[in-house]
């Protein structure tokens, strides 16, 4: 998968599991920005992710499952951003459900810059069934798609 295909797949992701430093993985909505090789998240003060960033931890991990039959483990670095323009660009009904408006003092904008992604690209459910049936008839291992790494 090329960087381009990776970013196209990320455009279809609505939720993924983000971890930063010692903070456990939690579901977050990623907002990819392919032309700048980064993803954004709208977080909240007091959460484990933001507390890890406040404590100086920055190593991040993002787990993506099932977006366009793409599964990925993405490693990178995270930081807090005060970019009000970016927050305004990202603001949407999902974000507004978690906060008291865009000026809520608890909002924390998280910038995630990936360095490497390990990717599994699989067939759709029909393709999966065909591969399972074929493997039973031939005794061969089913072809479940491609597995590779993208470095940014």
């Amino acid at each position: 998968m090329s960087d381009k295909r990776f970013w196209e797949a990320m455009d279809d992701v609505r939720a993924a599991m983000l971890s930063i430093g010692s903070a456990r993985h939690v579901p977050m909505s990623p907002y990819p920005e392919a032309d700048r090789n980064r993803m954004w998240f709208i977080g909240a003060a007091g959460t484990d992710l933001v507390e890890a960033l406040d404590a100086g931890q920055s190593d991040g991990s993002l787990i993506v499952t099932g977006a366009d039959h793409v599964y990925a483990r993405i490693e990178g670095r995270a930081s807090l951003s005060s970019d009000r323009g970016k927050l305004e660009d990202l603001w949407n009904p999902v974000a507004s459900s978690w906060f008291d408006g865009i000026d809520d003092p608890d909002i924390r904008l998280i910038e995630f810059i990936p360095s490497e992604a390990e990717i599994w690209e699989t067939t759709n459910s029909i393709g999966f069934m065909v591969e399972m049936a074929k493997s039973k008839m031939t005794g061969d291992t089913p072809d479940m798609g491609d597995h590779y790494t993208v470095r940014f």
Side-chain angles (χ1 to χ4, degrees), residues 83-146:
D83 186 337
R84 173 63 184 218
K86 178 50 69 179
L87 178 60
E88 290 172 359
D89 288 345
L90 300 176
W91 194 251
N92 62 59
V94 173
S96 69
S97 296
W98 293 97
F99 299 98
D100 293 329
I102 197 167
D103 295 316
D104 187 320
D106 287 338
I107 293 174
R108 298 294 184 272
L109 188 58
I110 300 170
E111 181 179 20
F112 179 79
I113 301 174
S115 56
E116 180 177 286
E118 184 177 14
I119 300 157
W120 294 261
E121 205 170 10
T122 64
T123 60
N124 60 31
S125 56
I126 293 172
F128 176 81
M129 299 292 274
V130 167
E131 284 298 321
M132 290 292 114
K134 187 169 81 175
S135 76
K136 292 295 182 191
M137 294 187 322
T138 65
D140 292 336
T141 302
D143 179 3
M144 300 315 309
D146 296 323

